[in-house]
Amino acid sequence: MKKQQRINYPASKKIYIKGKIHDIQVGMRSVTLLDTITMENGKKQVEPNNPVILYDTSGAYSNPDIPIDITKGLVRLRQEWIEKRNDTELLPSFSSNYCKERLSDSSLNKIRFPLTNLPRKAKSGNAITQMYYACQGIITPEMEYVAIRENQQNEQLGIETHITPEFVRQEIASGKAIIPANINHPEAEPMIIGTNFLVKINTNIGNSSLMSGIDEEVEKAIWSCKWGGDTLMDLSTGEHIHETREWIIRNTPVPVGTVPLYQTLEKLNGRITDLNWEIYRDTLIEQCEQGVDYFTIHAGLLRSHLPLLKNRTTGIVSRGGSIIANWMTQHQKENLFYTHFEDICLLLKQYDVAVSLGDGLRPGCIADANDAGQFAELSVLGELTKIAWKHHVQVLIEGPGHVPMHKIRPNMDEQLKHCHGAPFYTLGPLTTDIAPGYDHITSAIGAAQIARYGTAMICYVTPKEHLSLPDKEDVRTGVIAYKIAAHAADLAKGHPGAQVRDNALSKARFDFRWKDQFNLSLDPEKALEYYRTGRLGDESGHCTMCGPHFCAMKLTKEMNDCALTE
Amino acid sequence: MKKQQRINYPASKKIYIKGKIHDIQVGMRSVTLLDTITMENGKKQVEPNNPVILYDTSGAYSNPDIPIDITKGLVRLRQEWIEKRNDTELLPSFSSNYCKERLSDSSLNKIRFPLTNLPRKAKSGNAITQMYYACQGIITPEMEYVAIRENQQNEQLGIETHITPEFVRQEIASGKAIIPANINHPEAEPMIIGTNFLVKINTNIGNSSLMSGIDEEVEKAIWSCKWGGDTLMDLSTGEHIHETREWIIRNTPVPVGTVPLYQTLEKLNGRITDLNWEIYRDTLIEQCEQGVDYFTIHAGLLRSHLPLLKNRTTGIVSRGGSIIANWMTQHQKENLFYTHFEDICLLLKQYDVAVSLGDGLRPGCIADANDAGQFAELSVLGELTKIAWKHHVQVLIEGPGHVPMHKIRPNMDEQLKHCHGAPFYTLGPLTTDIAPGYDHITSAIGAAQIARYGTAMICYVTPKEHLSLPDKEDVRTGVIAYKIAAHAADLAKGHPGAQVRDNALSKARFDFRWKDQFNLSLDPEKALEYYRTGRLGDESGHCTMCGPHFCAMKLTKEMNDCALTE
């Protein structure tokens, strides 16, 4: 790996908030602000501004006191918590055939992550999931962690909040929220996905067979965390998937998801016909033991749905969906993920891997939105949810795709109707098809709205969607577009404390505290860069847009005393 | 002026659709598509795809058969229509003192637009507005023009539409829509702004005193039309406003708006105290005779509103609003635009300049959204609307600003309640304050929603908002973000024919007709650029994102015959 990775946020320090139930420390970012300075009757008045405490996805990378070494991986934050529960055991070796094969292949040594942590698994096959504990009435350290994390500075500011550790437990127990937390990914900081919590965003990375390598993927993972990605899906389809993923998981402080089918097909050199339960199961075990936190599984697309697609404009646009549809067609058999769904749950519950029920029939264009195929599959996803919950496997429901604005609410309502409150996790949706090159925007418009109506996590779309694979700048742009959508939804939902940051930034704007404005923004570097392109003179007193004469905020200040007290 | 300006759209030709009532020709853009080629039983099947006809804001610039010379200005399309009505006359000279002064200043010759068209005005002070004609039951060429323009290819495709010339007339007569069409800007192609028509977007340009010059502003105006800007506001505050505006108006095929107060204050060297009706009136006449199509006038902000702002986080953020508020405070007088509003209407109706009632108290942050001050002013705007309509002056109502998503609908409802159906024209709104550098996105999210609920025109925001003045690339990005928002709203409102373009593009996507996909997109150049960054091989058969093995659409095609007919 080429370099030390570090994340610096301006005027920010890492702070840790202690738990009250458990011996935990929740990392947050505290942004220090300048004083507000006003003149009153010729006298300078100084009013200090409290620091703003922000939700922080950057983990140890933004703490200069913690040494970072990519070849060693992050500190295993949750290891002690997991051990203390005493319901799991370290295995003597990896269980999947594939992992054994890769470990014994010495030609891979030069690209392999250099440390091997043996995998952990439930003792005697029991569920050891957060949902299981929640149903037992147990508040885990993970649950307290997310409760603190979600509250930002509410306690300090006296903002009332419903989000207590006990509330978290109830939400997890009911299936309305999940904490993706594979016991083999103890490096990840707990986070919660549910409609009654902050809206989360997922970013996708992945080396397709055409482009990019391990270095770049790890760098992208950290980059995504820097800008605020809450979870990360590794959608690699190229060579060395196994090794790349190991590097990513060991160095990523957020939950990691995958679509295990992709790797399974790599193992089969792309021969869909050869797909079978045994090789898929081996892949699930391989990834469970590596530490993947959630799996997208396209178990809801049934043979009976295929005729519903006859009149679609863009057919199936989900890779996983199209693969399993082809397999079903070739073998004239029902979807093997559906028929083996209970087997899958029996496996996942032993590692606490959440299942993200894939929407293989998500609409790929406006014309196909909310059609019979999409909703038929959604209804099966609801059925599968019940099965997963029976095994205390945590569940996400995946959603579209391309949906015009007037069909967003009906789509959300359909999910609520069929899926028993399991959190919805959507890709966008894109609200028009006509803007390739700008689909981070077409989809942020849809994502903000569906999140407002209850979607718990939105999967980002980059400007390169439909066109090419995203590079680092595209990832940044996509993440920020989605942080905007998520935050706009948090505001609209009245999430406790969400508006604190807006208020602080706007006060800074009105005070001409430019640096505070930038430091509080989602992308301080970009804001500063744009600001500098327009600067000719000093750094205060008016903004570059209006020029010195007609700055509205300056004029407001000038008349403030006399006018507003009339 | 430095160069020949031309606009090229790929695979597109300019077509003209003839009127049935009037001898008019409506310029549209026709995009030629490739054939869909499929294999059936080993035989190649060729299915031709109809060209897609698009609404076109680029005027003559995209017609290679029309000579373009910036120093001569565009063809005066509407001149004959206006003359034929026989209710206006050419004046022997310009009426405003300021214009006379400038014309007699020979030092300005080198920057002056070289041709002088004498101004036109209503004979004997009568109203000669589109609203006046509509109320008389007259369908003008302008009305038929916009009816054809709005319908795109509906007739050809058999899509039912409510938009007939008679419907246009009714909407204009009722005040629910406007056609901004100053008789002194006959170069502009008629367009309509109203909730029952395609959502329109406005772009702002303008040389602040700090940056940019005439060349650049004219280039930006044409640039804005290229990407789809429907109207253009010239917000210049620097030197040579008068001369810059002349260049812009003579060369712009879309309506041009201004805030006359800005220039008035330039004339007063920024001394707000010296603002008075006479100099403002002279500025209005100057701009009426130059051809400005609509004026933003902050007539609804009253003295009694100022105390309502006491607890605002960002006070007044409208330049015009802050200026008039300061003036009222200094003079202890009521807003002179309010007290002279009837005088203003008497002037505007003689040139058919529409009034855009400015929202001086628009909220500048989430905290101030939908507050008492904002809504108090909105209610006065409704009162002024009635006065303007009495004189058959066409009216737009301006709106915010910064509004969180859950307050967007209530804001729209408040406008509908108070403003008698006059079209709403909003700046965004931005749905969060925390993303300077990305406010084209925060605001496109809000703009799409408020447009869906009925806003007729949305004013773009560029990435540089709050930070600096936009350059050409920022204008492009801002325009496209707003074309997306507007189109998303058109789809959600079920505008007749709006989805034709989405369907054609998505079919092209499914067919791997990459070029058609790009040519139909809002920004073909960007789409192609991004596509090329990811290309290593051929141009068909799979997309760069999935790689060759797992392309969902390719897989769908492979199984299509057998599966979908099961």
Side-chain angles (χ1 to χ4, degrees):
Chain A
M1 290 289 117
K2 47 192 174 184
K3 56 181 168 184
Q4 283 284 86
Q5 301 278 356
R6 276 290 174 200
I7 294 173
N8 292 308
Y9 298 118
S12 299
K13 61 180 180 194
K14 194 89 182 181
I15 61 166
Y16 291 90
I17 301 175
K18 286 196 168 160
K20 289 173 181 170
I21 305 171
H22 294 283
D23 181 19
I24 57 173
Q25 296 205 314
V26 181
M28 309 285 282
R29 176 177 153 210
S30 175
V31 183
T32 308
L33 303 183
L34 302 170
D35 298 333
T36 294
I37 295 174
T38 47
M39 296 301 284
E40 216 159 281
N41 305 323
K43 270 191 188 160
K44 193 167 136 181
Q45 303 285 326
V46 178
E47 176 208 341
N49 289 294
N50 286 331
V52 174
I53 297 170
L54 302 179
Y55 193 101
D56 186 3
T57 54
S58 64
Y61 293 103
S62 59
N63 184 343
D65 301 334
I66 297 179
I68 295 288
D69 182 346
I70 302 291
T71 63
K72 292 194 175 129
L74 293 168
V75 168
R76 296 168 74 83
L77 171 74
R78 292 170 53 237
Q79 183 151 320
E80 209 185 309
W81 313 349
I82 295 162
E83 282 169 0
K84 268 195 184 162
R85 289 196 274 261
N86 203 26
D87 52 3
T88 59
E89 60 187 356
L90 267 188
L91 300 181
S93 66
F94 288 89
S95 317
S96 72
N97 296 327
Y98 188 76
C99 186
K100 285 174 189 158
E101 239 173 66
R102 299 299 279 193
L103 284 173
S104 67
D105 182 346
S106 61
S107 77
L108 296 170
N109 286 350
K110 61 183 186 303
I111 62 158
R112 215 191 302 276
F113 182 76
L115 299 177
T116 303
N117 297 291
L118 284 173
R120 184 174 287 278
K121 192 179 170 188
K123 283 179 185 167
S124 60
N126 289 336
I128 50 92
T129 69
Q130 294 292 320
M131 188 180 194
Y132 174 76
Y133 302 135
C135 289
Q136 308 300 308
I138 299 166
I139 294 173
T140 61
E142 287 86 346
M143 295 173 202
E144 189 186 17
Y145 193 103
V146 301
I148 294 169
R149 211 173 180 190
E150 294 277 321
N151 275 321
Q152 303 184 42
Q153 55 204 335
N154 293 340
E155 205 168 311
Q156 190 185 320
L157 295 175
I159 296 171
E160 223 174 294
T161 174
H162 58 275
I163 300 170
T164 61
E166 170 56 19
F167 178 75
V168 169
R169 187 199 65 74
Q170 288 168 20
E171 291 282 292
I172 301 281
S174 72
K176 285 168 76 180
I178 75 165
I179 297 178
N182 186 331
I183 51 172
N184 290 309
H185 188 200
E187 297 91 345
E189 298 182 348
M191 54 78 70
I192 191 162
I193 304 168
T195 190
N196 292 318
F197 300 91
L198 288 163
V199 174
K200 303 304 186 298
I201 75 161
N202 174 69
T203 69
N204 294 330
I205 58 169
N207 57 329
S208 92
S209 52
L210 298 176
M211 298 164 86
S212 81
I214 290 179
D215 269 21
E216 204 181 311
E217 294 308 312
V218 172
E219 210 180 317
K220 267 194 217 164
I222 299 170
W223 183 247
S224 158
C225 296
K226 167 176 174 171
W227 297 111
D230 292 292
T231 70
L232 185 78
M233 287 197 82
D234 175 15
L235 302 182
S236 298
T237 54
E239 268 187 289
H240 310 312
I241 296 184
H242 180 87
E243 289 72 27
T244 308
R245 189 166 51 232
E246 186 71 21
W247 280 101
I248 291 173
I249 292 175
R250 299 287 74 85
N251 286 295
T252 299
V254 303
V256 173
T258 63
V259 186
L261 176 59
Y262 295 172
Q263 190 188 2
T264 311
L265 271 179
E266 286 289 333
K267 293 175 183 175
L268 296 168
N269 292 315
R271 289 187 308 274
I272 294 173
T273 314
D274 296 351
L275 178 65
N276 61 70
W277 168 241
E278 286 66 35
I279 192 164
Y280 185 72
R281 182 173 183 276
D282 195 67
T283 307
L284 293 183
I285 295 172
E286 172 202 346
Q287 298 196 12
C288 283
E289 296 192 350
Q290 242 182 340
V292 174
D293 299 285
Y294 65 92
F295 291 151
T296 291
I297 300 180
H298 299 86
L301 200 178
L302 305 187
R303 284 181 75 188
S304 58
H305 298 156
L306 297 180
L308 300 174
L309 310 180
K310 217 184 281 188
N311 296 319
R312 275 200 163 182
T313 299
T314 54
I316 302 180
V317 297
S318 147
R319 271 192 275 176
S322 68
I323 291 165
I324 197 62
N326 259 41
W327 184 89
M328 291 193 290
T329 308
Q330 287 180 26
H331 291 279
Q332 299 283 308
K333 279 188 187 167
E334 191 51 279
N335 182 338
L336 87 161
F337 308 132
Y338 180 78
T339 55
H340 283 282
F341 192 70
E342 199 129 14
D343 300 324
I344 292 170
C345 293
L346 288 170
L347 205 61
L348 269 49
K349 72 175 186 179
Q350 300 185 63
Y351 301 92
D352 201 0
V353 175
V355 64
S356 187
L357 291 166
D359 56 334
L361 299 184
R362 71 166 181 265
C365 63
I366 293 298
D368 297 344
N370 289 12
D371 74 353
Q374 182 193 339
F375 283 168
E377 183 187 30
L378 185 58
S379 150
V380 179
L381 300 189
E383 181 193 309
L384 296 169
T385 299
K386 286 282 193 189
I387 297 173
W389 285 353
K390 193 176 74 187
H391 297 284
H392 297 107
V393 170
Q394 304 188 92
V395 177
L396 288 174
I397 308 288
E398 294 189 11
H402 292 236
V403 184
M405 286 195 287
H406 63 299
K407 293 190 176 173
I408 288 178
R409 183 79 191 246
N411 191 163
M412 185 73 230
D413 289 345
E414 194 77 8
Q415 196 271 352
L416 291 170
K417 185 173 142 199
H418 290 295
C419 296
H420 321 291
F424 205 23
Y425 164 31
T426 61
L427 177 69
L430 286 71
T431 51
T432 165
D433 306 339
I434 67 169
Y438 298 83
D439 280 331
H440 59 306
I441 300 177
T442 63
S443 68
I445 291 171
Q449 290 174 71
I450 206 160
R452 178 193 169 193
Y453 297 135
T455 290
M457 182 155 78
I458 46 185
C459 178
Y460 90 157
V461 170
T462 78
K464 295 266 171 71
E465 183 77 16
H466 297 115
L467 300 171
S468 182
L469 285 172
D471 61 21
K472 272 182 77 179
E473 271 313 298
D474 298 319
V475 169
R476 174 183 179 180
T477 305
V479 171
I480 300 292
Y482 272 68
K483 293 302 283 184
I484 290 168
H487 185 72
D490 289 335
L491 292 176
K493 287 163 71 178
H495 191 88
Q499 206 183 306
V500 171
R501 188 175 186 174
D502 296 76
N503 293 353
L505 187 145
S506 290
K507 183 163 186 269
R509 186 171 275 160
F510 192 67
D511 287 350
F512 297 107
R513 287 181 281 120
W514 289 97
K515 282 177 187 158
D516 286 353
Q517 190 190 145
F518 303 151
N519 295 342
L520 285 166
S521 73
L522 286 175
D523 186 346
E525 297 166 33
K526 181 78 77 188
L528 184 61
E529 178 196 327
Y530 284 175
Y531 176 73
R532 286 203 171 133
T533 63
R535 296 310 296 177
L536 299 177
D538 68 328
E539 297 235 343
S540 66
H542 66 269
C543 56
T544 36
M545 300 194 68
C546 307
H549 291 316
F550 303 124
C551 174
M553 295 198 293
K554 195 176 160 213
L555 286 172
T556 305
K557 279 180 208 301
E558 283 172 17
M559 67 168 196
N560 229 3
D561 298 336
C562 43
L564 305 189
T565 52
E566 258 175 36
Chain B
M1 288 289 117
K2 47 191 174 187
K3 57 179 164 182
Q4 282 284 86
Q5 301 278 355
R6 276 290 174 198
I7 294 173
N8 291 307
Y9 299 118
S12 299
K13 60 179 181 198
K14 193 90 183 181
I15 60 166
Y16 291 90
I17 302 175
K18 287 196 168 161
K20 289 174 182 168
I21 305 172
H22 295 283
D23 180 20
I24 57 173
Q25 294 205 313
V26 181
M28 308 285 284
R29 176 177 154 211
S30 175
V31 183
T32 308
L33 303 183
L34 302 170
D35 298 334
T36 294
I37 294 175
T38 47
M39 297 300 284
E40 216 161 283
N41 305 323
K43 272 192 189 160
K44 196 167 136 180
Q45 303 285 325
V46 178
E47 176 208 340
N49 289 293
N50 286 331
V52 174
I53 297 170
L54 302 179
Y55 192 102
D56 186 4
T57 55
S58 63
Y61 293 103
S62 59
N63 184 343
D65 300 333
I66 298 180
I68 296 287
D69 182 346
I70 302 290
T71 62
K72 292 192 175 131
L74 293 168
V75 168
R76 296 168 74 84
L77 170 73
R78 293 171 51 237
Q79 184 151 321
E80 208 187 311
W81 313 349
I82 296 162
E83 283 170 359
K84 268 195 186 163
R85 288 196 274 261
N86 203 24
D87 53 2
T88 59
E89 60 189 356
L90 267 188
L91 301 180
S93 65
F94 288 89
S95 317
S96 72
N97 297 328
Y98 188 76
C99 186
K100 287 175 188 158
E101 239 172 67
R102 299 298 280 193
L103 285 173
S104 67
D105 182 346
S106 61
S107 77
L108 294 170
N109 286 350
K110 61 180 186 302
I111 61 158
R112 215 191 304 276
F113 181 76
L115 301 176
T116 303
N117 297 292
L118 284 173
R120 182 174 287 279
K121 193 178 168 187
K123 283 180 187 167
S124 62
N126 289 336
I128 50 90
T129 69
Q130 294 292 320
M131 188 179 193
Y132 174 77
Y133 302 135
C135 290
Q136 307 300 307
I138 299 166
I139 294 173
T140 61
E142 287 86 346
M143 295 173 202
E144 189 187 17
Y145 193 103
V146 301
I148 294 170
R149 211 174 179 188
E150 293 277 321
N151 275 321
Q152 303 185 43
Q153 55 205 334
N154 293 340
E155 204 169 312
Q156 190 185 319
L157 295 175
I159 296 170
E160 223 174 295
T161 174
H162 58 278
I163 301 169
T164 61
E166 169 56 19
F167 178 75
V168 168
R169 187 199 63 75
Q170 288 168 19
E171 292 281 292
I172 302 281
S174 72
K176 286 167 76 179
I178 76 166
I179 297 179
N182 185 332
I183 50 171
N184 290 308
H185 187 200
E187 298 90 347
E189 298 182 347
M191 54 80 69
I192 191 162
I193 305 169
T195 190
N196 292 318
F197 300 90
L198 288 164
V199 174
K200 303 304 185 296
I201 75 162
N202 173 68
T203 69
N204 295 331
I205 59 170
N207 58 330
S208 92
S209 53
L210 298 175
M211 299 163 86
S212 81
I214 290 180
D215 268 21
E216 204 180 312
E217 294 308 313
V218 173
E219 209 180 318
K220 268 194 215 163
I222 299 170
W223 184 247
S224 158
C225 296
K226 167 176 175 170
W227 297 112
D230 292 291
T231 70
L232 185 78
M233 286 197 82
D234 175 15
L235 303 182
S236 299
T237 56
E239 267 187 289
H240 309 313
I241 296 184
H242 180 87
E243 290 71 26
T244 308
R245 190 167 49 234
E246 186 71 21
W247 281 99
I248 291 174
I249 292 175
R250 300 285 75 83
N251 286 294
T252 299
V254 303
V256 173
T258 63
V259 186
L261 176 59
Y262 295 172
Q263 191 189 1
T264 310
L265 272 178
E266 286 289 334
K267 294 175 183 175
L268 296 168
N269 292 314
R271 289 186 310 274
I272 294 172
T273 314
D274 295 351
L275 178 65
N276 61 71
W277 168 240
E278 287 65 35
I279 192 164
Y280 185 72
R281 182 173 183 277
D282 196 67
T283 307
L284 292 184
I285 295 171
E286 172 200 348
Q287 297 197 12
C288 283
E289 297 193 350
Q290 243 182 339
V292 173
D293 299 284
Y294 63 93
F295 291 152
T296 291
I297 299 181
H298 299 86
L301 200 178
L302 304 187
R303 284 181 76 190
S304 58
H305 299 156
L306 297 179
L308 300 174
L309 310 180
K310 215 183 282 187
N311 297 319
R312 276 201 162 182
T313 298
T314 54
I316 301 179
V317 296
S318 147
R319 271 192 275 176
S322 68
I323 291 164
I324 197 62
N326 259 44
W327 184 89
M328 291 192 289
T329 308
Q330 287 179 27
H331 291 279
Q332 299 283 308
K333 280 190 188 164
E334 191 53 278
N335 182 338
L336 86 161
F337 308 132
Y338 180 77
T339 54
H340 284 281
F341 191 70
E342 199 129 14
D343 300 324
I344 292 171
C345 293
L346 289 170
L347 205 60
L348 269 50
K349 72 174 184 178
Q350 300 184 65
Y351 302 91
D352 200 0
V353 175
V355 64
S356 187
L357 290 166
D359 55 335
L361 299 184
R362 69 166 182 265
C365 62
I366 293 298
D368 297 343
N370 289 12
D371 73 354
Q374 183 192 339
F375 283 166
E377 183 187 32
L378 185 58
S379 149
V380 178
L381 301 189
E383 181 192 310
L384 295 169
T385 299
K386 286 282 192 191
I387 297 173
W389 285 351
K390 193 177 71 186
H391 297 284
H392 297 106
V393 170
Q394 304 188 91
V395 177
L396 288 174
I397 307 289
E398 295 190 12
H402 292 237
V403 184
M405 286 195 288
H406 62 299
K407 293 189 175 172
I408 288 177
R409 182 81 192 242
N411 192 163
M412 186 72 231
D413 289 345
E414 194 77 7
Q415 196 270 352
L416 291 170
K417 185 173 142 199
H418 290 295
C419 297
H420 320 291
F424 206 22
Y425 164 32
T426 61
L427 177 68
L430 286 71
T431 51
T432 165
D433 305 339
I434 68 170
Y438 297 83
D439 280 331
H440 59 307
I441 300 177
T442 64
S443 67
I445 290 171
Q449 290 174 71
I450 205 159
R452 178 194 170 192
Y453 296 136
T455 289
M457 182 155 79
I458 46 184
C459 177
Y460 90 157
V461 171
T462 78
K464 295 267 171 69
E465 182 76 17
H466 297 116
L467 300 171
S468 183
L469 284 173
D471 61 21
K472 272 182 77 180
E473 271 313 298
D474 298 319
V475 169
R476 173 183 179 179
T477 305
V479 171
I480 300 291
Y482 273 68
K483 292 302 283 184
I484 290 169
H487 185 71
D490 289 335
L491 291 176
K493 287 164 70 180
H495 191 86
Q499 206 183 305
V500 171
R501 187 175 185 173
D502 296 78
N503 293 353
L505 188 146
S506 290
K507 183 163 187 271
R509 187 171 275 159
F510 191 66
D511 287 350
F512 297 108
R513 286 181 281 120
W514 289 97
K515 281 176 188 160
D516 287 352
Q517 190 190 145
F518 303 151
N519 295 343
L520 286 167
S521 73
L522 286 175
D523 185 346
E525 297 166 34
K526 181 76 79 187
L528 184 61
E529 178 196 326
Y530 283 176
Y531 176 73
R532 287 206 170 128
T533 62
R535 297 310 298 176
L536 298 176
D538 68 328
E539 296 236 342
S540 66
H542 65 269
C543 57
T544 35
M545 302 193 68
C546 306
H549 291 315
F550 304 125
C551 173
M553 295 198 294
K554 196 176 160 211
L555 286 171
T556 304
K557 279 180 207 302
E558 283 171 19
M559 67 168 197
N560 229 5
D561 297 336
C562 42
L564 304 189
T565 52
E566 260 177 34

